[in-house]
């Protein structure tokens, strides 16, 4: 481990108390949640008034995700679009001092996210939402620290999204697919975390005292992702809780 | 059994109980903090009621079967890391020992969690033989062997949980908990693979994700653990036919980007190598 992963902030994992950890996690979340009125306005969840009883009307409402499993697949497709775009830009604009291993592994992750994105697009066919207009302008791609922090946020968020949406899926084949993808996202998350602080692959920010990872509802995940999504989206029939 | 009485008792010691149990909260996440307040005797009863309520009348035997299957694997992992950490001189101190200790703590937590959930239905811990009948005779004296077997367990664990997800379809409490354990196992697998890679030798080229089938450098003995990981077809879609950043997505990327399940039979055959009784 020592030979290949260079801890850049040794003290973080070892000196912080659990309380400070929780605080950090909360701050991370709040930073990316961007819980502004504007970002929340795009989220018309199932709990709101239904506008799509016929499942057809998406005029003027933004990109319609559909309902049921289709909506969940489009939700995953949207998250994979975001991740793929981030890693494409990261690999195209490497920060100063990116090691060969970092470059190789980030390129791998980029290709995984593209594979996920393209898979969902093909699997959804005519029901797929179109490509999202994304906003990555807040990310400083020349900063290793900022890039890794963003990657960590996206990967942990992706894991929590699949974990939290699993029980909403009706078709066992789709559930299995989600399971095949989420463990790869967790492998990414662990590696990115180790690049920030060797040994933080599954620390108390993401694993609780029962040994359980984070699970988040679609509405919570989309709130966190909202600052990065410029397209207007209509998730009024997306199952959530 | 008067569930309402139990709820009232709990409410008396934990005023936030009603909030915790509300459908908008992830009840399971709060069990830890509750367990400090609820008497030890009441908790297993409460938890089993909570789960009964959660999975209702539909196939509880199957759900318990999955939970006991998971418990068996967690017993295996928990005992393995507990013995490894306890063996002086096996794991280098500092980062390596810290990481293995973290993993041990998670596996022990998984055992306790699953036992709590299953209550009296929990299977008891088998007797393990981590040398697998002598195949890994130096498992607790040679660090590389220890890491190799650890990696085999973690990658197997990830595949095992995935293989059972279908039985838990739609089950908010149990499926979510299984997924939450599953992704922790994947985080472990990623880290152990990095530790193993850093040791060089046959593992020097392996990555935190699985490339093709058996990419471990350990040898054919672990082939069954990686059988089928080289699959490139997902839901009828050949991933290598899709557009990548330049040209098509490579076979390596196609196999890395999706982890594959293992059947319970295959997993138990693997685990069986390490079980004496």
């Amino acid at each position: 481990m020592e030979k290949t992963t260079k801890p850049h902030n040794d003290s973080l994992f070892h000196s912080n108390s659990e309380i400070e950890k929780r605080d950090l996690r909360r701050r991370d979340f709040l930073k990316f949640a961007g819980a502004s009125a504007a970002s929340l306005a795009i989220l018309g969840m199932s709990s709101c008034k239904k506008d799509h009883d016929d499942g057809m009307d998406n005029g003027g409402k933004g990109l319609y995700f559909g309902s049921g499993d289709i909506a969940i697949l489009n939700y995953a497709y949207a998250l994979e679009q975001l991740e793929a775009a981030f890693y494409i830009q990261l690999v195209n604009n490497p920060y100063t001092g990116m090691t060969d291993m970092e470059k190789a592994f980030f390129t791998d992750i980029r290709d995984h996210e593209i594979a996920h994105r393209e898979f969902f697009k093909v699997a959804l066919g005519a029901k797929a939402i179109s490509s999202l207009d994304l906003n990555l302008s807040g990310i400083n791609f020349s900063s290793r620290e900022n890039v890794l922090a963003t990657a960590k946020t996206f990967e942990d968020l992706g894991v929590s999204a699949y974990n939290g949406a699993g029980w909403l899926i009706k078709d066992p084949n789709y559930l299995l697919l989600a399971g095949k993808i989420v463990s790869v996202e967790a492998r990414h998350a662990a590696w990115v975390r180790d690049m920030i602080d060797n040994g933080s692959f599954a620390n108390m920010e993401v694993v609780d005292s029962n040994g359980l990872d984070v699970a988040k509802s679609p509405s919570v995940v989309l709130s966190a992702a909202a600052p990065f999504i410029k397209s207007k989206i209509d998730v009024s029939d997306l199952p959530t809780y | 059994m008067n569930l309402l009485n139990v709820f009232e008792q709990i409410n008396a010691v934990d005023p936030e109980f009603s909030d915790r149990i509300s459908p908008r909260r992830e009840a399971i996440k709060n069990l830890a903090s509750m367990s400090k307040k609820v008497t030890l005797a009441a908790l297993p009863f409460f938890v089993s009621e909570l789960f009964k309520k959660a999975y209702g009348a539909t196939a509880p035997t199957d759900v318990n079967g999955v939970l006991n299957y998971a418990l068996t694997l967690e017993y295996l992992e928990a005992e393995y890391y507990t013995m490894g950490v306890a063996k002086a001189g096996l794991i280098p101190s500092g980062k390596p020992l810290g990481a293995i200790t973290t993993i041990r703590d998670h596996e022990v937590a998984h055992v306790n969690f699953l036992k709590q959930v299953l209550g009296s239905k929990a299977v008891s811990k088998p007797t393990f033989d981590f040398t697998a009948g002598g195949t890994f005779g130096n498992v607790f004296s040679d660090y590389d062997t220890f890491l190799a077997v650890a990696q085999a367990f973690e990658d197997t664990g990830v595949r095992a949980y995935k293989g059972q997800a279908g039985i838990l379809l739609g089950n908010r409490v149990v499926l979510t908990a299984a997924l939450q354990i599953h992704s922790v196992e994947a985080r472990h697998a990623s880290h152990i693979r990095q530790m193993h890679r850093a040791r060089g030798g046959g593992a020097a080229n392996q990555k935190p994700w699985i490339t093709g089938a058996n990419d471990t450098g350990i040898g054919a003995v672990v082939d069954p653990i990686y059988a089928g990981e080289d699959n490139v077809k997902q839901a009828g879609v050949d991933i290598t036919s899709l557009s990548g950043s330049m040209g098509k997505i490579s076979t390596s990327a196609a196999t890395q980007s999706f982890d594959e399940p293992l059947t319970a039979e295959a997993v138990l055959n693997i685990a069986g190598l390490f079980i004496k009784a």
Side-chain angles (χ1 to χ4, degrees):
Chain A
M1 200 70 212
E2 283 67 24
K3 288 182 208 164
T4 52
T5 59
K6 300 200 170 43
H8 283 254
N9 187 357
D10 245 0
S11 63
L12 190 68
F13 181 53
H14 296 282
S15 68
N16 282 6
S17 72
E18 187 179 349
I19 289 162
E20 282 167 330
K21 280 284 165 196
R22 283 189 187 139
D23 188 47
L24 181 70
R25 177 172 157 189
R26 208 163 71 103
R27 275 190 282 119
D28 264 8
F29 173 72
L30 290 174
K31 184 167 65 182
F32 287 93
S36 67
S39 64
L40 289 173
I42 64 165
L43 305 169
M45 287 292 168
S46 299
S47 54
C48 302
K49 186 170 76 73
K50 279 219 164 193
D51 286 320
H52 296 286
D53 292 332
D54 60 359
M56 300 279 284
D57 174 25
N58 59 358
K61 300 279 184 188
L63 301 171
Y64 180 54
F65 278 44
S67 62
D69 282 357
I70 294 299
I72 295 170
L73 294 179
N74 267 319
Y75 163 62
Y77 178 40
L79 294 176
E80 299 293 351
Q81 285 190 41
L82 175 59
E83 287 191 305
F86 168 70
Y87 287 107
I88 288 167
Q89 198 162 332
L90 189 168
V91 171
N92 287 343
N93 304 279
Y95 49 77
T96 306
M98 187 184 281
T99 66
D100 288 347
M101 189 194 67
E102 286 172 355
K103 174 102 181 175
F105 284 8
F106 276 131
T107 303
D108 276 4
I109 296 176
R110 175 199 66 185
D111 291 344
H112 303 164
E113 308 300 4
I114 291 175
H116 296 162
R117 183 191 70 190
E118 293 304 302
F119 166 75
F120 281 118
K121 186 179 178 182
V122 170
L124 279 158
K127 289 171 179 160
I129 55 170
S130 52
S131 294
L132 293 171
D133 195 7
L134 300 168
N135 176 17
L136 301 177
S137 62
I139 301 161
N140 180 1
F141 284 94
S142 63
S143 159
R144 181 181 188 273
E145 193 183 359
N146 192 249
V147 162
L148 286 173
T150 307
K152 173 179 134 178
T153 301
F154 283 167
E155 296 296 348
D156 283 342
L157 185 68
V159 170
S160 71
Y162 284 103
N163 282 351
W167 71 277
L168 298 169
I169 297 172
K170 305 289 184 213
D171 183 324
N173 297 311
Y174 295 154
L175 175 60
L176 178 58
L177 278 165
K180 289 179 174 204
I181 292 172
V182 64
S183 56
V184 175
E185 304 292 355
R187 290 174 189 272
H188 296 166
W191 177 73
V192 168
R193 289 173 146 273
D194 282 333
M195 289 301 98
I196 294 170
D197 176 14
N198 184 7
S200 69
F201 56 100
N203 70 12
M204 283 181 290
E205 288 174 31
V206 285
V207 181
D208 71 13
S209 58
N210 284 319
L212 304 182
D213 210 325
V214 180
K216 287 181 176 157
S217 74
S219 57
V220 169
V221 170
L222 284 174
S223 294
F228 301 98
I229 299 174
K230 277 198 280 191
S231 302
K232 200 174 168 187
I233 60 172
D234 176 0
V235 288
S236 54
D237 292 331
L238 172 66
T240 188
Y241 52 98
Chain B
M1 291 185 294
N2 190 338
L3 202 57
L4 278 176
N5 278 350
V6 175
F7 280 14
E8 274 166 21
Q9 278 174 23
I10 294 167
N11 257 326
V13 290
D14 183 3
E16 289 176 334
F17 174 71
S18 301
D19 187 32
R20 291 179 203 281
I21 199 74
S22 113
R24 291 199 169 269
R25 297 290 296 265
E26 291 144 294
I28 210 162
K29 278 193 157 180
N30 297 304
L31 289 177
S33 61
M34 269 175 51
S35 65
K36 290 173 193 140
K37 297 170 185 164
V38 180
T39 63
L40 213 58
L43 191 67
F45 168 74
F46 168 70
V47 172
S48 69
E49 285 299 332
L50 186 68
F51 275 75
K52 267 184 219 156
K53 191 175 160 230
Y55 61 71
T58 59
T61 309
D62 288 348
V63 171
N64 279 343
V66 171
L67 289 169
N68 268 322
Y69 166 80
L71 176 58
T72 304
L73 283 173
E74 300 294 344
Y75 275 137
L76 175 87
E77 292 182 314
E79 182 157 307
Y80 183 70
Y81 292 113
T82 299
M83 288 177 72
V85 168
K87 184 71 195 294
L90 173 66
I91 303 162
S93 59
K95 293 288 184 185
L97 187 58
I100 298 296
T101 303
T102 296
I103 295 174
R104 177 202 64 187
D105 291 347
H106 292 161
E107 310 299 10
V108 169
H110 293 163
V111 166
N112 291 336
F113 176 76
L114 292 167
K115 279 171 78 175
Q116 215 175 40
V117 168
L118 280 157
S120 63
K121 298 199 179 74
V123 294
S124 51
K125 184 174 73 65
T127 303
F128 296 111
D129 166 24
F130 294 109
T131 73
T135 306
F136 304 109
N138 58 355
V139 67
F140 290 122
S141 57
D142 180 82
Y143 181 50
D144 291 312
T145 304
F146 178 80
L147 283 180
V149 173
Q151 180 179 326
F153 286 161
E154 296 297 343
D155 281 334
T156 299
V158 172
R159 302 193 70 178
Y161 276 92
K162 225 184 295 294
Q164 300 309 308
I167 294 176
L168 307 177
L169 190 73
N171 189 324
R172 177 171 182 174
V173 175
V174 182
L175 175 59
T176 303
L179 286 168
Q180 288 175 289
I181 295 176
H182 169 249
S183 60
V184 170
E185 301 295 345
R187 288 177 189 268
H188 294 171
S190 176
H191 190 83
I192 296 272
R193 283 179 153 263
Q194 292 177 68
M195 293 176 79
H196 198 199
R197 172 190 169 97
R199 298 289 293 173
N205 293 320
Q206 76 166 12
K207 297 173 172 180
W209 25 91
I210 301 168
T211 309
N214 182 357
D215 63 346
T216 63
I218 297 168
V221 65
V222 294
D223 277 353
I225 291 168
Y226 297 94
E229 282 284 5
D230 53 352
N231 175 35
V232 296
K233 272 204 158 178
Q234 304 298 341
V237 178
D238 182 345
I239 302 301
T240 62
S241 74
L242 303 174
S243 298
S245 62
M246 283 184 294
K248 301 294 182 190
I249 288 164
S250 70
T251 300
S252 289
T255 62
Q256 290 165 359
S257 54
F258 292 83
D259 280 340
E260 300 296 325
L262 265 184
T263 64
E265 292 74 21
V267 171
L268 291 172
N269 281 341
I270 292 164
L273 298 173
F274 300 92
I275 294 174
K276 268 201 283 200

